[in-house]
Amino acid sequence: MDTSKKDFDADLVMALNEAIQTVPIPSVRVRELPTELNQFHAAAKLNRSRLDFDSEPADFARALAHAAKEHGR
Amino acid sequence: MNVLTQMSLTEVASAIATKEASAEEVVRACVAQAERLDPTLHFFIWKQFDEAIAAARQADAKLAKGGALGPLHGVPLAHKDMYYMAGKLATCGSKIRRDFRPTYTATAIQRLDAAGAITLGGLAMVEFAMGPHGYNQHLEQCRNPWNPAHIPSGSSSGSGVSVGAHAVYGSLGSDTGGSVRCPAAVSGVVGLLPTYGRVSRHGMMQMSFSLDQGGPLARTVRDCARLLGVIAGADAADATSSAEPVPDYETRLDAGIKGLRIGVPSTYFYDGVAPEVKAALDASLKVLASAGAEIVPVRLPQSIYEVAELHPLVMKAEGSANHSNWMRERSAEYSDQVRNRLQAGFFIPATDYIQALKVRAQLLDEFMKEVFGRVDVLHTPMLPMPVPTIEECQPANGVAYLNMVVALTRNTKVVNYYGLPALSVPCGFSASGLPLAFQLIGRPFDELSLLQTGHAYQGATDWHARTPPIAMPRM
């Protein structure tokens, strides 16, 4: 996973927390969070090209049932 | 000598039904085992032994009168302490819920009760089911029955340990990224993750609603087949439960695996796998081939590596939303580890989270075509390394600790994202004397193929029949 471009940094996390989330997080921990957040964000970005306008998450149960029929023994 | 605790769930159910043993004798044997081992292994959070003995007497009285019996009549079980039972504690392994007593009973528990099972208490778990190592700052350290210096894994720690220590015959755990399968693997028992939606989650504490699924742990595949047969099926109280028909797993267990195509991947699941784990996996494939299965190398879609990152994105976004109020108002009551794990979820953009769910069906489709277009079952390592010690999993170890946490679930979490069923089966022991296990992954709602494969393997091996020295019957 290419995480060379850092979208999250400690300043952004701190600003978001102070303005929106207001979760008590020590500053030392705020500095650790961007590593994890950048991994997640990179994975999300990699999958943008797969997005189908008309798909919706609730269809996943139907996708499972369909896959069972399509690939059943 | 207490031979009752040496029996499997299905064996003891038969012994009770044929009056070779009374339910009271069986429950008392389990209570004695629990009282002997719990002070060392710490697998119970709360116990109801007197109530269980009273329930066993009622079960014996019912048996004496004749009439229909359930498939678990008089069988002692205990469950991860996040299955709700009206009026009973459900601490969820937490300080925040230390006095929580739900007013209703989980559908899965109702079904076990209706089948005649007797509940001994609530079992140890990682706080709010968040962590694969089995450590919970609020509880005494739950320990591995094969060697108390090693981890019980988690988050269903007490489920794996109590079954492995022969203190109960089966247990329900929950699995969001490996929390049934990993504790089963390290305690040398069988753990089943059913297909997403196969088992009702009504009354099971929520951790991440897109990924959570409850499942059984027991000493044999047959035991798991019986438990799944009891708990599986549609539930009007759970909108995500599936109406797919539930086969009679147990009666079809002996069908054999002649001609079954078992896929073996060379990437992802085998990345960084320890040589002794690989050797045990190779040996298990030979056993399965001897039973008639065709072993087929398979290529995995490259996107499985992205799935490994999307899984924690979804889990953390949903988990943090679920804990949103407590994280703001009662933050100090969380353990350091769980509080830290929940923090990242507050900063995941909603668009990233929704996209991670929107692409799920496509990624499943890729995996299905690449894997289940060629084989019937996928065979992989469970843990990529031998069971670590408690010392090796200390948060104070910094980066090594974080790497260990990631390694423990790398082979299980992707299965939850795909929503597929998977079975963890014991397949030997490491040089350090701790259990090793393989994982079988199946098509959606095809738990039967996994159970048939695991059962065929257990018919040709005896790993599952071994007892940890600490749990051996006393003369």
Side-chain angles (χ1 to χ4, degrees):
Chain A
M1 190 73 52
D2 177 17
T3 54
S4 55
K5 183 180 179 321
K6 306 296 184 196
D7 295 298
F8 284 90
D9 60 24
D11 290 340
L12 176 59
V13 173
M14 193 166 295
L16 283 170
N17 196 34
E18 283 177 6
I20 297 167
Q21 295 293 15
T22 64
V23 179
I25 305 177
S27 55
V28 65
R29 181 68 187 138
V30 167
R31 287 194 289 277
E32 292 170 353
L33 287 174
T35 304
E36 194 177 0
L37 290 167
N38 281 317
Q39 282 175 0
F40 296 157
H41 194 52
K45 281 200 290 190
L46 270 176
N47 279 285
R48 282 177 188 165
S49 61
R50 296 177 193 273
L51 285 170
D52 172 7
F53 182 81
D54 289 317
S55 72
E56 69 152 298
D59 279 342
F60 183 67
R62 211 174 314 161
L64 276 173
H66 175 74
K69 285 183 180 68
E70 182 97 337
H71 298 278
R73 271 178 85 183
Chain B
M1 191 167 84
N2 186 3
V3 293
L4 290 175
T5 59
Q6 290 292 94
M7 290 181 174
S8 70
L9 180 150
T10 44
E11 286 169 348
V12 88
S14 296
I16 293 169
T18 58
K19 299 183 183 171
E20 286 173 51
S22 70
E24 184 174 350
E25 286 170 329
V26 171
V27 168
R28 284 189 183 279
C30 286
V31 166
Q33 186 83 339
E35 285 179 335
R36 183 166 73 83
L37 296 179
D38 193 45
T40 304
L41 302 177
H42 304 295
F43 46 85
F44 269 109
I45 291 180
W46 58 270
K47 302 159 187 165
Q48 53 172 14
F49 292 165
D50 290 342
E51 291 95 322
I53 290 166
R57 286 192 189 119
Q58 286 178 5
D60 288 330
K62 187 176 175 187
L63 183 61
K65 280 185 194 164
L69 299 178
L72 300 171
H73 189 81
V75 176
L77 307 175
H79 311 294
K80 188 174 189 177
D81 199 25
M82 54 179 269
Y83 279 90
Y84 298 171
M85 292 177 263
K88 305 287 184 186
L89 277 176
T91 68
C92 306
S94 70
K95 190 173 176 184
I96 288 174
R97 279 195 147 179
R98 64 184 176 272
D99 299 318
F100 175 61
R101 290 176 189 271
T103 55
Y104 61 97
T105 299
T107 299
I109 300 294
Q110 287 179 38
R111 291 176 179 179
L112 293 174
D113 290 347
I118 293 172
T119 302
L120 294 192
L123 295 172
M125 57 180 285
V126 178
E127 182 183 9
F128 290 121
M130 259 178 267
H133 36 62
Y135 175 70
N136 185 331
Q137 188 177 301
H138 305 306
L139 303 174
E140 291 276 2
Q141 172 70 57
C142 185
R143 294 176 181 275
N144 192 299
W146 288 93
N147 183 338
H150 288 252
I151 64 164
S153 192
S155 60
S156 311
S157 352
S159 297
V161 175
S162 61
V163 175
H166 296 212
V168 296
Y169 295 93
S171 176
L172 293 188
S174 71
D175 193 317
T176 305
S179 289
V180 162
R181 291 161 288 161
C182 294
V186 307
S187 281
V189 304
V190 180
L192 174 64
L193 167 72
T195 309
Y196 182 77
R198 179 57 107 183
V199 174
S200 169
R201 302 179 303 176
H202 174 67
M204 182 183 92
M205 184 208 80
Q206 185 185 112
M207 197 262 176
S208 169
F209 54 86
S210 296
L211 305 167
D212 295 338
Q213 182 61 77
L217 299 90
R219 292 205 284 278
T220 70
V221 171
R222 182 178 289 282
D223 293 351
C224 279
R226 181 165 302 185
L227 289 167
L228 181 64
V230 169
I231 62 175
D235 176 20
D238 178 358
T240 64
S241 79
S242 168
E244 288 288 316
V246 178
D248 186 338
Y249 300 110
E250 208 176 337
T251 59
R252 296 171 68 182
L253 209 53
D254 292 309
I257 56 171
K258 193 167 171 44
L260 186 89
R261 295 166 302 166
I262 298 180
V264 182
S266 57
T267 57
Y268 187 78
F269 294 101
Y270 276 93
D271 293 350
V273 74
E276 62 181 322
V277 174
K278 172 89 167 52
L281 269 281
D282 289 346
S284 71
L285 285 168
K286 285 182 183 161
V287 172
L288 293 167
S290 297
E294 182 188 349
I295 309 301
V296 181
V298 292
R299 198 177 58 184
L300 300 174
Q302 186 64 21
S303 54
I304 193 169
Y305 289 90
E306 292 153 37
V307 167
E309 300 292 341
L310 293 174
H311 172 278
L313 187 164
V314 171
M315 183 179 72
K316 295 212 170 184
E318 293 182 354
S320 299
N322 200 28
H323 285 266
S324 178
N325 287 343
W326 287 338
M327 277 290 283
R328 291 188 178 91
E329 294 161 12
R330 304 176 69 174
S331 176
E333 293 175 70
Y334 287 93
S335 66
D336 297 340
Q337 294 75 28
V338 169
R339 192 187 312 109
N340 284 354
R341 283 176 73 91
L342 282 167
Q343 287 162 345
F346 287 93
F347 306 101
I348 294 170
T351 46
D352 284 1
Y353 164 66
I354 293 168
Q355 285 175 13
L357 291 178
K358 278 170 77 84
V359 298
R360 198 177 177 196
Q362 280 185 56
L363 291 166
L364 169 67
D365 189 51
E366 274 183 28
F367 190 82
M368 291 299 300
K369 283 178 178 151
E370 202 72 53
V371 176
F372 293 113
R374 293 182 170 86
V375 299
D376 302 305
V377 166
L378 189 67
H379 176 283
T380 79
M382 268 295 304
L383 272 60
M385 70 294 206
V387 182
T389 62
I390 291 167
E391 187 59 35
E392 287 169 321
C393 295
Q394 291 301 313
N397 294 343
V399 174
Y401 162 77
L402 293 174
N403 289 340
M404 183 70 78
V405 168
V406 171
L408 283 170
T409 57
R410 63 164 283 114
N411 286 352
T412 49
K413 66 183 177 182
V414 291
V415 186
N416 297 77
Y417 183 87
Y418 289 129
L420 299 171
L423 186 72
S424 173
V425 181
C427 67
F429 291 86
S430 63
S432 53
L434 274 292
L436 300 170
F438 61 78
Q439 174 175 235
L440 300 171
I441 303 167
R443 298 182 176 98
F445 305 104
D446 189 19
E447 290 85 359
L448 182 60
S449 290
L450 306 182
L451 294 165
Q452 287 171 335
T453 308
H455 180 65
Y457 179 78
Q458 292 197 326
T461 59
D462 72 348
W463 305 115
H464 61 287
R466 309 223 180 157
T467 303
I470 199 173
M472 288 297 283
R474 295 289 166 91
M475 299 299 286

